[in-house]
Amino acid sequence: MHADDAFAKETAVLDQHGRSKRQTVAQMAMDWLPIALAAGSRPCDEVIEEGNQRGFDRRTLQRALHEL
């Protein structure tokens, strides 16, 4: 595997959101989670599915939640 292949998904997410490569996907997930949960509690599967649609995998969302 080439290094570019390993980071392809992260790079695509960063490009999609117009963020610099210095801001990690985990940081983006930390920015997004409070917005996603602003209206109150939601089922975990629903939040994960919406996160996946935004390019965040389950583990990234877990890390972001832990950091918050």
Side-chain angles (χ1 to χ4, degrees):
M1 175 184 274
H2 191 271
D4 290 339
D5 297 334
F7 294 106
K9 182 176 181 179
E10 181 174 330
T11 300
V13 170
L14 291 171
D15 290 344
Q16 173 186 355
H17 293 281
R19 304 289 180 106
S20 74
K21 294 188 181 188
R22 287 184 178 172
Q23 186 171 23
T24 66
V25 173
Q27 289 170 319
M28 291 170 53
M30 286 190 298
D31 292 343
W32 172 76
L33 269 175
I35 296 166
L37 300 173
S41 296
R42 294 173 58 189
C44 181
D45 291 341
E46 183 180 296
V47 174
I48 290 171
E49 177 60 31
E50 186 177 339
N52 286 336
Q53 291 172 3
R54 294 176 177 274
F56 309 129
D57 62 27
R58 181 184 195 101
R59 184 68 186 123
T60 298
L61 292 170
Q62 289 172 333
R63 274 188 245 124
L65 182 60
H66 178 73
E67 288 296 318
L68 291 171

